[in-house]
Amino acid sequence: MSRRSERAEREQSRRHHRRVVMMIAAGVVGVALVGGAGTAWASGSLSAWFAGGPVCGEPIELTVVADTAIARPVKAIAAEYDAREDACSRTDVVAQDSADTAALLASGNGSDIDAWIPDSPVWLVRMAASARSLGRDVPDLALERSIASSPVVFAAPVSGAKALAGRTLSWTDVLSGDLPTLLADPEASSASLNGLQAMERAAPIGQAKQFQNAMIRLSDGAPARVDAAFGSLAVSPPGTVAIASEQQVAMHNHDDASTPLLALYPSDGTLALQFPFLRMLDESELAKNLDAEGEPTGDDAARAELELRAQQLDALKIALWDASDRFAAEGFRDGTGGGELKQDGVLADATEVGSAAASAQVSILRTWGVVSLRSRILSVIDVSGSMEEPTITGLRRIDLLQQAASTTISQLSEAVDVGVWAFSTTRIGDQDWEDLSPIEPLADEAHRTQVLDVLASLPARLGGATGLYDTTLAAVKQVRSAYDPETVNSVLLLTDGKNEDENGISRDQLLDELAAMAEDGEQVPVVLVGIGPDTDIESMRLIAEATGGAAYSAQRPEDLKTVLTDALSQRSCRPNC
């Protein structure tokens, strides 16, 4: 039997009951811990409770997910640690983009991960926000100090350096458009996200619109990844730069010496990528092995395996912290931003960096997701009588929805086509939906005005029950009728209830028809946003799964705007987000 098969068999029962819970402590340097038993495990002090300590029998299987930028040295260091005589582990290091891991954890998956090394603490906050918007429990992690870092710089081709000679480059130059800049999609690049935050900080007080306009400009034709941005530099006008990390520049020069780059350091300061060591806290396993006073109880073998796993993770973490020279060889500074590099194209000595703010970066991501949206959207809005219900804010559900939708539509770029339906039971005869505005480009100012006027009219249209299933099917068919393979074609459905149309199709019929339509490859994701406590979350998730969409939940009225923005900004999100 292979090592993987043995591990799968051994882990199967453990995963059956395992629930990963995550504590967000972004921006904290040091160790962020969960109280009680979690604190003891995260600090490696379970040995104080378990007399005699664990004995290494069969090596513990560990899974560490590391951002693709740092996975190579992490894998080598982990292999060296596993080979030590005092080690009792076999570590599988999985290379995965941090955004993808965050999406995986937010969706409730990834329970077999023991530790995660992202390229920024922002992904913890992003993961937590996504999990809450999806109506799921937030996974629980202990955030410990970074094993490596890398400042954000401007990358310029050596061949075009003359065009920048004598210039002092700053984030203000990018903000104003005076410095032609390539910015990779910040949903996949922490370097880009840090660059955007540096730009936001450079924006004059009271001129937030300048930053938003800069994002719209940078999003036009934005490369998907930093390496694609590097490739585009070769065919861009002289004087163009790409936003990247210092490490990405160093590794590009190492791997592709034919097109060398220079790292140019912003004169108004910069931020740095941080690679923290994050350990999953398995609360269920801890709870079953500790009594109410936090003393060990239960099966001795289970306690010993748990302690051994904790000790191996602690030892691996220390091995990574102590490997600054190994990380420097891959272009990284140490976890505090110091250290010397010996790579072409970058400074040998470390530059001073500022502190990134994870919560502000999540807000930037939401705005980026809206302003850079390129898609056709049919917005389908519940106007059943229950939308008349008041909320704790004093406003009705429909009032909150109308305000949030109007604000969001106002931020959408001109590259978006939007239409609006209202739905409840028997809106037009036996039909549960009403077409209020066709799917047309928002670039047409008259259409944008019409959409906003329709949204403003919704409070006067209330009545009837919730005709969810018939309306969902009709909406998907409508979007498919003019399907554009060059963009994202989707339905955004907002509701506060469950299907109440007794004369319509059943849920099973709806799911079967949605599955049958998707067989031709013309997928129309249905993104559903539930408002308040009465929504049918299970049906929403089944509809989302059948169409490749997502189901969001705004349990509190004040969450609606954030949830709606998340739903839109992640409309073409990677799987499981």
Side-chain angles (χ1 to χ4, degrees):
M1 183 181 293
S2 69
R3 188 180 76 179
R4 277 287 187 182
S5 299
E6 291 173 347
R7 180 184 178 192
E9 183 176 340
R10 184 168 57 255
E11 293 283 305
Q12 184 175 6
S13 61
R14 198 166 70 91
R15 293 179 189 171
H16 179 68
H17 65 266
R18 185 174 182 179
R19 182 176 64 86
V20 182
V21 198
M22 181 166 265
M23 179 180 68
I24 300 304
V28 177
V29 177
V31 182
L33 302 174
V34 175
T39 301
W41 185 18
S43 62
S45 63
L46 283 178
S47 57
W49 296 338
F50 301 153
V55 176
C56 180
E58 185 176 4
I60 295 293
E61 299 276 358
L62 300 177
T63 297
V64 176
V65 178
D67 186 82
T68 50
I70 204 168
R72 184 167 60 184
V74 168
K75 186 169 187 174
I77 294 164
E80 291 176 2
Y81 170 73
D82 289 346
R84 283 167 33 178
E85 290 185 2
D86 60 339
C88 188
S89 59
R90 291 175 182 162
T91 307
D92 181 22
V93 177
V94 179
Q96 184 166 269
D97 287 348
S98 296
D100 291 332
T101 307
L104 184 75
L105 293 172
S107 68
N109 296 303
S111 61
D112 58 341
I113 298 172
D114 295 293
W116 176 26
I117 305 173
D119 63 357
S120 171
V122 70
W123 298 114
L124 279 76
V125 182
R126 178 67 160 170
M127 180 276 300
S130 296
R132 293 190 189 100
S133 290
L134 290 166
R136 299 183 181 276
D137 291 335
V138 178
D140 207 11
L141 279 169
L143 171 64
E144 309 199 23
R145 67 181 174 86
S146 297
I147 64 173
S149 66
S150 185
V152 177
V153 300
F154 301 135
V158 171
S159 59
K162 288 183 179 180
L164 296 169
R167 286 192 61 178
T168 299
L169 307 182
S170 69
W171 294 110
T172 301
D173 295 330
V174 182
L175 188 69
S176 64
D178 291 336
L179 178 63
T181 304
L182 299 174
L183 179 86
D185 183 0
E187 283 279 3
S189 168
S190 290
S192 294
L193 185 53
N194 277 270
L196 286 174
Q197 186 173 26
M199 289 168 52
E200 183 181 45
R201 291 178 176 180
I205 296 176
Q207 297 188 32
K209 190 67 175 177
Q210 184 183 15
F211 176 54
Q212 188 176 102
N213 289 339
M215 280 200 287
I216 293 172
R217 183 180 68 250
L218 291 167
S219 70
D220 187 17
R225 303 177 63 87
V226 171
D227 53 2
F230 287 169
S232 297
L233 283 174
V235 294
S236 297
T240 302
V241 300
I243 294 175
S245 73
E246 184 183 56
Q247 187 266 344
Q248 288 169 324
V249 173
M251 287 301 97
H252 170 85
N253 290 341
H254 178 273
D255 297 336
D256 187 6
S258 63
T259 59
L261 300 174
L262 285 175
L264 305 175
Y265 298 77
S267 61
D268 47 355
T270 192
L271 304 176
L273 305 190
Q274 296 287 336
F275 294 80
F277 187 91
L278 307 171
R279 179 161 43 184
M280 303 297 291
L281 297 180
D282 194 330
E283 190 176 74
S284 62
E285 288 196 42
L286 288 170
K288 74 176 183 179
N289 288 293
L290 300 171
D291 63 20
E293 284 72 41
E295 296 297 325
T297 185
D299 182 74
D300 290 341
R303 293 201 308 272
E305 180 178 352
L306 181 60
E307 183 190 12
L308 186 58
R309 179 176 295 276
Q311 287 186 351
Q312 294 307 303
L313 281 170
D314 270 337
L316 175 60
K317 171 191 67 182
I318 292 170
L320 292 168
W321 282 346
D322 290 343
S324 57
D325 288 345
R326 297 289 298 278
F327 288 120
E330 297 276 347
F332 293 98
R333 304 290 178 175
D334 63 30
T336 62
E340 183 181 7
L341 297 183
K342 298 179 180 179
Q343 274 91 14
D344 293 335
V346 302
L347 292 176
D349 296 328
T351 186
E352 186 174 346
V353 297
S355 299
S359 58
Q361 289 189 355
V362 169
S363 178
I364 289 171
L365 275 178
R366 288 194 176 108
T367 303
W368 173 273
V370 172
V371 302
S372 65
L373 185 62
R374 308 281 192 277
S375 65
R376 298 175 63 246
I377 305 171
L378 178 56
S379 300
V380 182
I381 301 173
D382 189 344
V383 291
S384 60
S386 58
M387 293 293 286
E388 185 85 34
E389 290 289 325
T391 68
I392 59 173
T393 66
L395 297 175
R396 298 172 298 172
R397 292 174 180 173
I398 190 63
D399 297 325
L400 290 174
L401 186 151
Q402 183 269 325
Q403 291 176 7
S406 296
T407 299
T408 304
I409 291 294
S410 297
Q411 293 178 326
L412 293 177
S413 76
E414 295 182 350
V416 182
D417 296 357
V418 172
V420 182
W421 281 10
F423 80 98
S424 61
T425 51
T426 61
R427 298 280 325 159
I428 302 176
D430 292 334
Q431 180 176 297
D432 292 343
W433 62 94
E434 182 179 1
D435 188 343
L436 301 179
S437 181
I439 304 175
E440 298 290 347
L442 289 177
D444 182 345
E445 195 59 39
H447 180 65
R448 185 184 288 267
T449 299
Q450 181 192 46
V451 168
L452 292 174
D453 288 345
V454 165
L455 293 176
S457 74
L458 293 178
R461 299 176 181 273
L462 301 183
T466 305
L468 179 62
Y469 298 155
D470 281 2
T471 301
T472 300
L473 182 61
V476 172
K477 288 181 177 179
Q478 176 70 13
V479 175
R480 284 172 56 88
S481 68
Y483 190 86
D484 182 354
E486 299 301 319
T487 189
V488 178
N489 302 260
S490 63
V491 172
L492 175 65
L493 190 148
L494 301 96
T495 181
D496 74 337
K498 59 184 178 181
N499 186 68
E500 297 170 322
D501 185 357
E502 297 180 354
N503 299 316
I505 61 174
S506 68
R507 186 173 74 182
D508 287 343
Q509 288 175 308
L510 170 63
L511 297 176
D512 288 343
E513 291 211 40
L514 291 174
M517 283 192 291
E519 290 179 357
D520 63 4
E522 294 187 351
Q523 190 174 41
V524 176
V526 179
V527 179
L528 303 101
V529 176
I531 306 163
D534 303 322
T535 49
D536 183 358
I537 296 297
E538 180 183 2
S539 294
M540 289 169 56
R541 285 179 176 163
L542 289 173
I543 293 169
E545 290 172 3
T547 61
Y552 294 81
S553 177
Q555 293 293 327
R556 302 182 305 170
E558 59 267 34
D559 292 338
L560 179 57
K561 183 178 177 181
T562 296
V563 170
L564 180 57
T565 304
D566 272 345
L568 272 174
S569 65
Q570 297 185 38
R571 78 273 163 210
S572 59
C573 187
R574 53 197 61 80
N576 298 315
C577 75

